[in-house]
Structure formats: structure tokens, C-alpha cells
Amino acid sequence: MAQSGTRNGVAEKIPASDLPQPVKVQRVRHTKIFINNEWHTSISGRTFPTRNPATGDIICEVQEADKEDVDKAVAAAKAAKEHGSAWRRMEPSRRGRLLQRLADLVERDRLLLA
């Protein structure tokens, strides 16, 4: 099946093979809250379902962060920027490589993250 599109005001057919294909949901490995380079269960222990927007099916249950979890994450972020912290003592080039690696992983998994 093909859809119609326009280019410069002229209708054209778009081959079905050129349309975006659904992303197959992969096994979800991480459902906890990531704070200070560690995975944590929420303080309340509550979770909520994450659904596939195309089908409404539940993909997994993830930890629900509350105020206490956010406060814990903010405290960890503040500690990371303090003088003498591991992040501040790290060579700037190494910090840059870590941030670049994060960007590469986000780019690699962009369809899954979307």
C-alpha cells in the first residue's frame, strides 16, 4: 500500500517500502531509578505501566519517583559538582569522552527511546 505525498505542490506516490516501519520492542532491562551511577527502587516502591502507544499494550512496569527520590537525585547531582568530587577531579578529556559515549548510545537507541 502506498500513500500520497506532495513535493513542491505536486502530488507523488510514496512506495510502502519507504514508509517508517514500527520499531520492535526489545526486552526492557532497566526499570529502576538511576541515581549517582546506581539503579534504585523508588522509596515508595510504587511503579507505573509503560505502554506501547501504537497498541496500548503494557511494555513493562517502571519505578515511580516521588519527592524523596527527586531530592536524593538532586543531592547526588550537587555532590558531583562539589570541589574534590570524582567528577571534578576527572580529566576534562575523559569527561568529554564519557559525554560523547552517552551521546553515541542515545543516537544508537534513538528509535527505541522515541
Side-chain angles (χ1 to χ4, degrees), residues 19-35:
L19 295 175
Q21 299 300 309
V23 175
K24 182 181 176 214
V25 176
Q26 300 173 356
R27 182 178 73 83
V28 177
R29 297 184 303 171
H30 305 291
T31 60
K32 294 185 176 184
I33 301 168
F34 194 66
I35 300 173

